[in-house]
Every structure is written in C-alpha cells, then in structure tokens.
Amino acid sequence: KLCYRHRPDLVRKRLPDSFNIQDVQQQMEKLPMADKEAISHIWSLFSAAPDEQRILILKGILSTCCMPQLSFLFDAIKPLLRIDFISILPREVSLHVFSYLDATSLCNAAQVSQTWRSLADDDALWHRMCEQHIDKKCTKCGWGLPLLDKKKRPNPRKPTTVFRTTPVSVLPLGTACGPTATSNSNTETSTDDALASNPSKRQKTEARVESIETASYPASQPLVPLIRRPWKDVYSERLVVERNWRQNKYQGRVLRGHTDGVMCVQFCDVAGILMTGSYDKTIRVWNMETGELIRVLSGHARCVRALQFDEAKLVTGAMDNTLKIWNWHTGQCIRTLQGHTGGVLSLHFDSRILASGSTDHTIRVWNFEAGECCTLTGHTEWVNSVRIFGDHTLVSGSDDATIRVWDLTSRTCTSVLKGHVGQVQIVLPSPKGFTHRFTPEATEAAAMASSRNISRTAARARPLTGTGVSPPGCATDDSPRLQEQADLTVNSNCSTLSDRPILMSGSLDNTIKIWDMTTGVCLRTLFGHVEGVWGLAYDKLRIVSGSHDKTIRIWDTESGRCMHPLEGHNGPVTAVALSDTKIVSASDDGDIRIWDY
C-alpha cells in the first residue's frame, strides 16, 4: 500500500518535495565504486524491509548519529511531514472544513494552489458568509455588512437585452420605493398558484407572454443566458462599503439652490431622487447622481417643514396650516388638505392613512379609504414628529418632552414615555423585521465596555517607565481595531436577538434615547452632542444624528458607541437621511450635503 508521498495520483496535486534525490545521486557519482556499492546495498536493504524492520533500522541509525547529523535530519524531515489534506479528503469534507474559516482565511486559502482556490471560492461557502453578515451583525466577529439597495428595474413594457426561455410573470409595481426581492418572490408564487388553479387562464397567459416575447425579441437574435453573480463578489462589494463606513472614507458633495434654511429631506437610492423642503416655501427635486436640479415645486404660502414621497406622489406640510399632495413627476398639486389651525410640523403616510402633527398641539389622521379624518389630542405643546407603526399604531413626539403611543382603532393614547428633559424633535419606531439586542443585559454590558475603554484611555495617558510595558507610541495599528472588534463581539454575545419593537428619539436635551415600545422602558441613552438633536435615522448597523451644534454623528447601533463625527455645515443640522451607502444632511445654512461611502 502506497503512502501519501508515493501515491501517483497525489504526486501531481501536491507541491514537490524540497528534498531532491537527484542531488543525492550526483554526490554519489563522486564517491569511489566500493563506497557507492555499499551505500546502494544499504538503501536496497532498507527499501525491501517491512515497516517494523524499517523502524528498527532507523532507531539503530539514530543511536549512532552525532549532533550535526541530527540537526540535518530535523531540517530535512520537517518540510517532508507537511501534508496537503485537501488533496486527500473528499471535496464534501474539505468544504465542511472550509466552512469554519472566516472571510480573511478563505481569501488566504485561495492563494495556496488551484485546488485550494476552487474550494475557497465555492459559491455555497460565500453564500453562507453573506447570510451571516449582510444586513445583520455576526455573533462571532461582531461585523455586519450593508444590504445595498438594488438599482431601479427597467420598465417591463420595454424590450430588454436579456432573453428568457421560460414564461415571464408580470409583476405589479409596488408603491414603495425599491420593492424587495422577497415581495417579488411572494408575488410570483401567488401568481403561479392562481394560474395552477385555472388551467384555461394559464394557457391564455402563456400564449400572451409568448406573443409578447415574439413581438419584442426578433427570432434572428440569439438567446443570451442569464449570468448569476458569484456570492464572493457580492460579499466583497459590501465589505468595501462597510470598511469605508468604519474608516470614515467618503466622497462629499454639496447641493445649493435653496435661498433659506432647509428643514426636511428624503431620498431614494434606488431611483436616485432627492427631495428637500425649505424656509423659502419651495420643494426641490434633485438628481442624486449628477446633483442636477430636476424641478421646483411652489405653492405653499409659508415654509415647508415636512415631506414624504413614494414612486407616485409627494406629500408636504408647511407652516401655512396645510398639507399638499403633488404629482412630483409633473410638478402638479393634486390636492390640498386643510384642517389644522396651526402650522404642520411633521407628517407620515402609508398605503391607507396619512398622519400629521401641528403647532396646534394635535395630530390629525386622514383615512383615504374611509374618506374621513380624526383628531388625536393629548400633547400640550407642538407635535414635532409623527410616525405610523404597523396597521393600528402611531407614535408622536412633542415639545412637552413626552412621547406618546396611540391606538388608531380606539383613537386613544395607550402609553406616555417620559425621560427627556427637553423638547422631543423626532421619534422613529423600528421598521418591520428589525432585530436588535437592546435589553437590560445588553445595556449593562455596553456600560461595562465603555468603562473599560475609559480605563484604557487613562492608562495610555499615564507615562509608563520602568514597568516593561511598551509606551503608547509603540502600539501597533491593529491594536485598536482588535480591541474594537472584541468589544463588539462581547456586546453581540451578551444577549439573544429580539424583534420587540423599539423607539429612538432625539431631543433638545442633547441626547438620543432608545425605548422599549411595549414596556416604555428607556433601554439606552446616547451622549455626544453638545446641543440639541434635530435629525435622526438608523438601520441595523448604524445610527445617524444631526444636531444644533452643526455636526453629524455616526453611532454603532448595538454598542451605542460614537464611531465618527462629521463636520462641514455652517449652521444647525436640521434633518438627516440614511441609506446603505449614503448620508444626506440638511442645514439651516441652506446647503444639502451628501456623504457617499
């Protein structure tokens, strides 16, 4: 039975030995004939001996070796004992071994040989790596990668350059900006189920699709197969973006056009559209890629304080006590809603209802399906923020320093959250599917990690002499990064993921608070701004806040640690918006800044 070193099928796969027998034969040629015959006889006896006798012969040789011979044996044997286990194990077992490696180790493994590269670049490994990191934080390493919105899909009515050999399901366009892959797959499933239950309908649909494809795509053109993108490329693209976020590497742009302070901003990365409302009574529509001003919407008599848009419409609220619904594609004002006795400070809508908060201390809920409007009263000061949560809940923040949770079915306030000592400027409930580790245990662990950071900072500030410890200047560049990763890992492992709804609020008391929406308990308070917080946005990885102190701060969502401050505005930052790759901020100086990572 041949061993690892002498199997013909493995000799071609593994690296050649550093011990070259040809050099030995050349040295043999220089010896006298009697010596050559004696050495050859010894080799032949050893080769013909069974395994037990070989071991016995080697023991006898080792007992007679002097130090120079033992040193030679040590240097010569060490590289020969290295085994390329990948060339021996079945591919399935090798892939299972590689599944325990992180992304850096997989990239290093891909540089060993072509065999290792084919395994390290396996699509299943990188798909699992993407599932572990994208749009969430890994519980092992503490890193998370951004989701990255898909680019806007082409118009399905126009012929495309990609041809399909299977029937194409026509998907309805959603009203929200950038429909997700999950919703599309659900639509396809329901469509297929409907066709399966009606065979005649399926035949008509397939015939219609076939006629559309025949009309759209000439038969003379060859079919182009759909190419699936490797998961390693998907991971690498998002890793570059996440590194830019962590290292604060961005490209900044400034959009100018408003003649007064900008109070509200929203953008859609998928469509490349940015909209801003200002004290100059106008709404401006911008092209995010080029910075070009697309359209100016005029109609409000006083400053625009709130706006929200989707693919079809734009709703704005202003200090002239009205809300306006626009077709932002044409600039036409479709409808004006009146009812508030004071200026409109905030608004939020979904597919059914529109909510607005006003300086008249009330919230009005406009139900377009039922064609009615109701008023919610309870706040004693201006209502600065309203957000619809789910189907029957609304949250609001006010200058009376409280946050209220409302039941839209009974039209009553179900809870009042108190904790801020200044006016609450913005309240954001967690979106659907948002998972987090904001628990009392996580809060305590974060506080302990923060105290350790303070202790390390103080220790580095003290002079270290005569203790055998390297001075602060001798620390390697990897030390802070490794410590940061360790802190994130401790925080990630301290509790399990929870999908309990939370609230984040920003106030003029300079703080950001995170609340348990069910119990009303304040889970965490973020300190860092030296003046009031006006703007707030967050996702599973980051929190972004804008303040009256003219700065924007980026926080880690789980640990609550301030990652980077952004400076550049010459006035208070009044609003911020966040996506996977960008921050857009508006300021009282009239500028809109895009921080592109």
Side-chain angles (χ1 to χ4, degrees):
K1 185 178 179 181
L2 297 176
C3 69
Y4 167 80
R5 291 193 63 218
H6 299 100
R7 278 177 55 181
D9 58 329
L10 297 182
V11 171
R12 296 189 300 269
K13 296 181 180 180
R14 63 181 177 86
L15 297 176
D17 292 337
S18 58
F19 188 80
N20 194 350
I21 191 63
Q22 294 180 355
D23 295 339
V24 178
Q25 292 177 350
Q26 291 177 2
Q27 294 179 14
M28 285 278 291
E29 295 297 332
K30 300 176 182 179
L31 298 178
M33 184 59 65
D35 293 342
K36 287 196 294 184
E37 291 178 355
I39 295 175
S40 299
H41 181 64
I42 295 173
W43 287 353
S44 62
L45 288 176
F46 185 82
S47 299
D51 292 343
E52 295 80 2
Q53 294 183 11
R54 283 189 174 191
I55 298 296
L56 189 60
I57 294 172
L58 289 176
K59 288 181 179 179
I61 293 175
L62 286 175
S63 64
T64 60
C65 287
C66 297
M67 292 303 296
Q69 289 84 39
L70 292 176
S71 178
F72 165 76
L73 288 174
F74 177 80
D75 294 335
I77 291 174
K78 188 176 181 180
L80 296 179
L81 291 176
R82 296 171 182 165
I83 297 177
D84 184 3
F85 64 93
I86 294 300
S87 62
I88 303 175
L89 297 175
R91 180 178 178 85
E92 294 78 10
V93 178
S94 300
L95 287 174
H96 184 70
V97 173
F98 275 33
S99 67
Y100 289 95
L101 301 181
D102 57 13
T104 304
S105 301
L106 283 176
C107 292
N108 292 335
Q111 303 177 33
V112 174
S113 65
Q114 292 183 356
T115 304
W116 282 57
R117 184 180 184 87
S118 66
L119 292 170
D121 290 348
D122 186 82
D123 217 35
L125 290 178
W126 288 99
H127 179 264
R128 184 181 303 174
M129 195 72 67
C130 290
E131 284 185 328
Q132 191 174 344
H133 292 86
I134 291 180
D135 202 30
K136 67 183 70 172
K137 282 211 171 181
C138 176
T139 57
K140 297 179 180 178
C141 66
W143 273 66
L145 301 182
L147 181 62
L148 296 191
D149 293 329
K150 297 179 180 178
K151 293 297 181 182
K152 191 175 181 65
R153 295 188 175 190
N155 191 339
R157 298 179 181 177
K158 297 180 181 179
T160 60
T161 57
V162 180
F163 296 85
R164 303 174 186 267
T165 58
T166 57
V168 180
S169 299
V170 181
L171 302 178
L173 291 177
T175 57
C177 216
T180 61
T182 304
S183 61
N184 291 341
S185 63
N186 293 338
T187 307
E188 290 178 355
T189 303
S190 60
T191 305
D192 292 342
D193 293 342
L195 294 178
S197 61
N198 193 343
S200 61
K201 187 175 182 180
R202 172 178 288 277
Q203 293 175 0
K204 292 179 181 179
T205 304
E206 291 182 353
R208 177 174 173 270
V209 172
E210 183 178 358
S211 64
I212 292 175
E213 289 181 342
T214 305
S216 302
Y217 310 128
S220 59
Q221 294 185 357
L223 296 179
V224 180
L226 294 174
I227 301 176
R228 189 178 66 177
R229 191 180 181 193
W231 282 104
K232 184 177 182 180
D233 292 350
V234 175
Y235 185 93
S236 300
E237 179 186 26
R238 284 151 179 78
L239 180 62
V240 171
V241 176
E242 180 62 22
R243 282 177 175 168
N244 290 340
W245 278 105
R246 288 182 174 253
Q247 298 171 8
N248 202 30
K249 293 182 179 179
Y250 60 84
Q251 293 182 349
R253 286 182 293 160
V254 182
L255 305 182
R256 293 186 172 94
H258 284 291
T259 58
D260 208 335
V262 181
M263 297 305 296
C264 49
V265 62
Q266 183 191 345
F267 72 97
C268 178
D269 234 351
V270 180
I273 295 296
L274 167 67
M275 297 192 191
T276 54
S278 169
Y279 267 107
D280 62 11
K281 310 173 189 178
T282 67
I283 304 101
R284 292 179 180 257
V285 184
W286 311 79
N287 185 316
M288 287 196 67
E289 300 298 328
T290 63
E292 176 187 1
L293 178 62
I294 299 175
R295 189 169 289 107
V296 179
L297 307 182
S298 301
H300 282 292
R302 297 185 65 185
C303 68
V304 180
R305 289 294 303 268
L307 64 82
Q308 183 186 349
F309 73 93
D310 59 17
E311 287 184 344
K313 62 184 177 296
L314 163 69
V315 181
T316 58
M319 294 300 288
D320 58 7
N321 306 357
T322 66
L323 295 98
K324 289 183 180 291
I325 303 175
W326 310 75
N327 180 344
W328 61 266
H329 297 279
T330 62
Q332 177 188 4
C333 180
I334 302 172
R335 186 177 179 183
T336 299
L337 302 178
Q338 297 178 338
H340 282 293
T341 58
V344 179
L345 300 173
S346 57
L347 66 88
H348 189 232
F349 68 83
D350 60 11
S351 58
R352 301 178 303 107
I353 60 176
L354 164 66
S356 58
S358 170
T359 60
D360 60 13
H361 308 174
T362 68
I363 302 167
R364 295 183 74 88
V365 181
W366 317 74
N367 191 323
F368 297 109
E369 289 183 347
E372 60 183 14
C373 177
C374 67
T375 303
L376 305 179
T377 58
H379 285 295
T380 58
E381 292 290 343
W382 291 11
V383 182
N384 298 314
S385 178
V386 291
R387 284 294 186 278
I388 301 168
F389 178 78
D391 295 330
H392 309 289
T393 306
L394 182 139
V395 296
S396 60
S398 168
D399 273 355
D400 59 15
T402 66
I403 300 167
R404 289 179 178 262
V405 182
W406 307 81
D407 185 348
L408 296 180
T409 304
S410 62
R411 301 177 182 178
T412 58
C413 178
T414 58
S415 61
V416 180
L417 281 60
K418 298 181 179 180
H420 282 294
V421 295
Q423 297 94 322
V424 178
Q425 295 298 306
I426 185 167
V427 180
L428 300 176
S430 55
K432 184 178 181 181
F434 185 85
T435 56
H436 58 87
R437 291 185 173 86
F438 295 124
T439 61
E441 294 81 5
T443 304
E444 182 179 356
M448 294 177 61
S450 177
S451 64
R452 288 199 303 269
N453 289 334
I454 295 174
S455 300
R456 285 196 300 269
T457 304
R460 286 197 295 267
R462 292 194 299 268
L464 303 175
T465 57
T467 60
V469 181
S470 301
C474 296
T476 62
D477 293 338
D478 292 337
S479 300
R481 192 182 307 117
L482 293 175
Q483 186 59 52
E484 170 189 336
Q485 183 170 337
D487 289 343
L488 292 175
T489 305
V490 169
N491 186 72
S492 299
N493 293 331
C494 65
S495 61
T496 58
L497 280 173
S498 172
D499 58 356
R500 289 170 64 92
I502 62 168
L503 295 173
M504 288 197 189
S505 59
S507 168
L508 295 189
D509 60 9
N510 311 350
T511 66
I512 301 165
K513 288 184 178 291
I514 303 172
W515 310 78
D516 187 316
M517 190 171 174
T518 306
T519 63
V521 175
C522 180
L523 301 174
R524 186 172 300 171
T525 302
L526 308 183
F527 299 91
H529 286 292
V530 296
E531 293 189 49
V533 178
W534 286 79
L536 189 63
Y538 69 95
D539 57 23
K540 294 180 181 179
L541 302 178
R542 273 166 286 277
I543 303 171
V544 176
S545 58
S547 169
H548 198 78
D549 60 14
K550 306 179 184 179
T551 67
I552 302 160
R553 288 183 177 268
I554 304 175
W555 315 74
D556 180 79
T557 301
E558 284 195 359
S559 67
R561 190 165 60 89
C562 181
M563 307 291 286
H564 308 287
L566 303 179
E567 299 179 353
H569 283 292
N570 297 317
V573 180
T574 54
V576 293
L578 172 68
S579 73
D580 291 326
T581 59
K582 295 181 182 68
I583 296 173
V584 177
S585 57
S587 172
D588 199 42
D589 59 10
D591 290 346
I592 304 105
R593 289 184 175 267
I594 301 175
W595 319 75
D596 191 350
Y597 290 86

